[in-house]
Amino acid sequence: VKKMFNKGLLLYISLTLLLIQTSKSVIVPKVMSEWMAANGIRANEKIMIDHQAMKIIALSDIEANEELISLPSNLAFRNTIKQDDPSIEYLKKESQSEKVEAKIPLVLSLLQEQKSKVSKWNGWFASLPSELDSALLYSEEDLSLLKNHDAFARLETHRKALNSTWDTMIKNIVTPTTQISDFLYHYSLVFGRRTIIQETEEVEGVPVLLPAISSARHCSLPNALIKPRMLVEEFVKEKLFEPNTVEFVLLASEKIPSKTEICIQYGFQDNYESFVSQGVIQNIEDLDSLTFIVESPTDESFKKSLEKLKIDKLQFKLTPFSIPFSLIKYLRLKNGANVDEETVFELLNSGKPVSLENDRLSLGELLATIRRVQNIWGPSVEDDLKLLQQQNMTERQKSVVSYRLREKGVLVGVEKIVRQLWDAWLG
């Protein structure tokens, strides 16, 4: 009964989040459609690009590998600030690093380019929404619903870091009319929608924004992907962003039914990173995940044991359907497994229990942690589902509650897995 309840609860959460999605009005600025046509950007008639909501919807059934959007590479928006520009030198000096974070020059480029009356991207700039759904832009009142969740402190730290970046670096090299709100908006746009273009395997990727294509939202189970298409017989990487050399093409990676949202993957994002970049999207089929972080050990022998087991990162991705093998190994090691004993080492690497007592302690610790987090996070799953039905909830408040609800859904699934392991090995 417990197992059936857990499975049913996860399904109920998913269906409820799908039903509460409030549709936004579809506005396609005329200036954007004219700009796309004038610049050779092609869009499939089977899709609708909602530039204001920044999403793409299938208007009819789409076949796998069908081309959705093609964008000339010279229209990819990338860092336009030269390495010898005084701004970059200033950033390096203030960041006390030889390498400035890749997002910041791209944000600065956006701020500067939008001031230009003759920018070739003006049609795209005019289509950008006045507000973004990034949690970085939520009000204190909206985020108060996360008070007991670890995401509240993480967001607060992130925002303080951005405020400090503005005060110490950015405001000194932008025009006097540029406000911190402009910086935060463009940072959020870059954080949530940048694509990394890999020129060669040896060279670090270039972060870019792809007009029209970047309207597609992120999900970890994407139904579309971006591929380059060469327009010349002999390609020279130095000419990647020159006219008539390459097109960036958005392709359907699978069959996409009519009325389905088209999404791509902007790198790996767990629930928190996706929430920060675009809020919570209720109508996309996605794989929820949270990152379980443990403190770095101070004991040197324990550190060496971790190295021997090749556990180099103490951050573990949890989903409702999986627990990383490395987390189980970590817990078994922490609860007394001696990696220096050859038999124990082989058992740890094979995934088999070291001993019943060791697994009782390891699985018991994980269960206790799940329960403790569930209690700290406040309202129950049932209370959150009721809260989402209230008519006076704003869209951002719904996004916050949906986010913590999906995190709880992950914990419900992980608890189910742990109990199954407990029953299998210790029952």
Side-chain angles (χ1 to χ4, degrees):
V1 172
K2 178 74 173 176
K3 291 178 182 177
M4 290 175 65
F5 171 77
N6 283 337
K7 186 175 181 180
L9 182 59
L10 286 170
L11 179 61
Y12 179 50
I13 291 172
S14 301
L15 290 174
T16 303
L17 289 176
L18 181 64
L19 291 172
I20 65 163
Q21 173 71 9
T22 302
S23 61
K24 296 183 180 180
S25 58
V26 177
I27 303 173
V28 182
K30 183 179 179 182
V31 66
M32 179 62 177
S33 58
E34 291 176 348
W35 179 78
M36 288 173 64
N39 286 278
I41 304 172
R42 300 186 301 277
N44 194 317
E45 293 181 353
K46 294 181 180 180
I47 67 170
M48 184 273 293
I49 307 173
D50 187 337
H51 298 282
Q52 289 299 295
M54 292 199 78
K55 63 182 179 180
I56 303 176
I57 304 294
L59 298 177
S60 58
D61 292 348
I62 294 171
E63 296 299 315
N65 297 315
E66 195 166 345
E67 186 174 311
L68 306 177
I69 300 173
S70 65
L71 175 83
S73 63
N74 64 301
L75 292 175
F77 190 90
R78 64 194 188 286
N79 175 25
T80 57
I81 303 174
K82 306 296 183 183
Q83 280 301 308
D84 58 353
D85 188 290
S87 298
I88 294 295
E89 293 303 316
Y90 179 80
L91 290 175
K92 287 180 179 179
K93 178 183 175 184
E94 293 301 315
S95 65
Q96 297 180 341
S97 170
E98 284 301 312
K99 188 175 181 181
V100 180
E101 183 193 2
K103 289 192 286 291
I104 298 301
L106 189 56
V107 173
L108 273 176
S109 297
L110 276 170
L111 289 169
Q112 292 180 3
E113 192 70 27
Q114 283 193 304
K115 301 294 181 182
S116 171
K117 294 181 180 180
V118 294
S119 171
K120 66 180 179 182
W121 288 285
N122 277 340
W124 172 51
F125 292 151
S127 76
L128 292 173
S130 57
E131 288 187 350
L132 297 175
D133 290 328
S134 165
L136 289 170
L137 305 176
Y138 285 16
S139 69
E140 295 297 330
E141 182 181 357
D142 295 332
L143 293 177
S144 65
L145 292 166
L146 283 177
K147 277 286 186 183
N148 296 321
H149 195 289
D150 72 309
F152 183 83
R154 293 173 71 182
L155 272 169
E156 199 170 52
T157 300
H158 199 160
R159 282 155 62 135
K160 283 181 179 177
L162 289 174
N163 288 337
S164 176
T165 300
W166 166 261
D167 289 333
T168 60
M169 297 165 61
I170 306 301
K171 75 176 181 181
N172 298 313
I173 52 178
V174 292
T175 61
T177 57
T178 303
Q179 304 295 315
I180 186 172
S181 56
D182 300 319
F183 167 64
L184 293 175
Y185 174 96
H186 289 90
Y187 179 90
S188 299
L189 179 64
V190 170
F191 185 93
R193 302 298 175 115
R194 75 191 185 284
T195 300
I196 305 298
I197 302 298
Q198 196 77 30
E199 297 181 55
T200 67
E201 292 183 2
E202 297 78 22
V203 179
E204 188 174 346
V206 179
V208 300
L209 292 170
L210 303 176
I213 292 177
S214 291
S215 293
R217 297 197 282 193
H218 166 87
C219 69
S220 55
L221 298 174
N223 52 20
L225 51 84
I226 302 168
K227 282 190 174 183
R229 178 165 58 207
M230 305 303 170
L231 302 178
V232 291
E233 289 185 10
E234 293 186 12
F235 172 69
V236 180
K237 63 180 178 61
E238 287 79 9
K239 296 184 178 182
L240 172 62
F241 295 107
E242 291 188 8
N244 305 314
T245 57
V246 176
E247 284 183 329
F248 295 119
V249 182
L250 182 66
L251 293 173
S253 56
E254 59 187 54
K255 285 188 176 183
I256 303 175
S258 177
K259 300 181 181 180
T260 301
E261 181 161 351
I262 294 163
C263 61
I264 57 180
Q265 192 172 42
Y266 294 98
F268 167 72
Q269 295 183 13
D270 63 10
N271 278 13
Y272 172 77
E273 291 164 322
S274 180
F275 176 56
V276 171
S277 68
Q278 60 185 14
V280 171
I281 303 171
Q282 289 91 8
N283 62 341
I284 286 182
E285 182 182 350
D286 208 352
L287 178 62
D288 288 326
S289 64
L290 61 84
T291 303
F292 182 81
I293 304 172
V294 299
E295 292 183 5
S296 298
T298 55
D299 184 78
E300 289 300 321
S301 62
F302 190 72
K303 286 183 182 179
K304 290 180 180 178
S305 296
L306 288 173
E307 290 175 6
K308 193 170 183 180
L309 290 173
K310 297 181 180 179
I311 302 176
D312 54 349
K313 290 184 179 180
L314 296 181
Q315 298 184 7
F316 308 97
K317 178 184 173 183
L318 305 179
T319 78
F321 314 105
S322 65
I323 301 174
F325 178 41
S326 55
L327 175 57
I328 299 295
K329 285 201 293 185
Y330 167 82
L331 290 169
R332 287 171 175 165
L333 185 64
K334 184 183 175 186
N335 285 284
N338 185 357
V339 74
D340 293 325
E341 294 181 16
E342 186 175 344
T343 305
V344 173
F345 178 74
E346 290 175 357
L347 286 170
L348 284 170
N349 276 326
S350 68
K352 296 177 181 178
V354 173
S355 70
L356 291 178
E357 178 61 15
N358 178 267
D359 257 34
R360 185 184 68 78
L361 293 171
S362 301
L363 296 178
E365 180 180 343
L366 188 51
L367 273 176
T369 302
I370 292 169
R371 290 175 188 145
R372 185 168 66 251
V373 172
Q374 287 172 328
N375 290 333
I376 292 173
W377 282 359
S380 66
V381 168
E382 291 78 9
D383 290 336
D384 275 349
L385 290 169
K386 290 177 183 177
L387 190 59
L388 285 172
Q389 306 303 323
Q390 295 183 8
Q391 298 299 316
N392 61 346
M393 292 277 286
T394 67
E395 286 302 304
R396 286 185 169 180
Q397 287 172 337
K398 286 181 180 179
S399 179
V400 170
V401 175
S402 298
Y403 164 70
R404 73 184 189 190
L405 185 57
R406 291 171 77 160
E407 296 274 85
K408 291 171 187 176
V410 175
L411 293 181
V412 168
V414 171
E415 182 178 6
K416 177 183 175 183
I417 295 170
V418 175
R419 290 192 178 280
Q420 288 174 338
L421 293 175
W422 185 285
D423 290 342
W425 296 341
L426 302 173

